[in-house]
Amino acid sequence: MSVKYNIVERKNPLDKNAPSKFYASAKADGEINLKAIAKEIAGGSTTVSDTDVLAVLNDLIKAMTRHLTQGEIVKLGDFGNFQITISSDGAETAEKVTAANIKNNKITFRPGADLRDMLKIVKFEKYKK
């Protein structure tokens, strides 16, 4: 199986007069939800049911939410790390920077070694409509 891609035309946001260029853009080809992943994990084990796995995954999400909102990095071993990152408007002095300067936040994921290694060998193919 390979990752599909589309070709998209984009203007240069820094130079509106520059000619457009064409770029490859990853195309999602389906999706899987938490319940299906739980069934898949349970299918590889004779000791745990998909209900048990789903319960653990749901509790993982709750625990991650709690720890991320406390400003902690959530380290999940070989899976990877999650952390909240922010962007803000600049100010003339450090004293003028307050929470009001924060304009955006997101959760950043840094994959573990196995996921990074997968990126080195993944195959790509053009998406066919």
Side-chain angles (χ1 to χ4, degrees):
M1 198 79 169
S2 55
V3 174
K4 312 267 188 308
Y5 68 91
N6 280 334
I7 299 172
V8 295
E9 183 177 7
R10 292 191 179 124
K11 292 241 178 229
N12 182 341
L14 301 176
D15 183 1
K16 301 290 185 194
N17 296 325
S20 297
K21 290 187 177 180
F22 294 88
Y23 299 88
S25 177
K27 169 83 169 102
D29 191 22
E31 58 184 39
I32 187 164
N33 62 31
L34 201 59
K35 192 173 186 178
I37 289 175
K39 282 185 179 183
E40 187 175 328
I41 292 170
S45 169
T46 57
T47 59
V48 223
S49 72
D50 57 325
T51 304
D52 294 334
V53 174
L54 186 57
V56 170
L57 292 175
N58 282 327
D59 283 345
L60 172 65
I61 293 167
K62 290 175 190 172
M64 286 179 64
T65 300
R66 185 172 52 257
H67 290 282
L68 287 169
T69 58
Q70 294 172 0
E72 297 174 322
I73 297 172
V74 177
K75 294 186 169 194
L76 298 178
D78 293 338
F79 183 65
N81 305 327
F82 294 83
Q83 179 178 7
I84 290 180
T85 58
I86 60 176
S87 60
S88 69
D89 289 333
E92 294 80 28
T93 65
E95 293 76 23
K96 290 185 179 181
V97 177
T98 67
N101 292 77
I102 298 170
K103 296 300 174 201
N104 192 20
N105 60 18
K106 64 182 178 180
I107 297 172
T108 301
F109 172 68
R110 289 184 301 281
D114 288 348
L115 291 174
R116 285 192 314 268
D117 290 344
M118 173 273 306
L119 290 173
K120 295 174 186 172
I121 61 169
V122 68
K123 305 284 187 231
F124 297 94
E125 72 178 68
K126 192 172 180 179
Y127 180 72
K128 297 175 181 96
K129 296 177 186 173

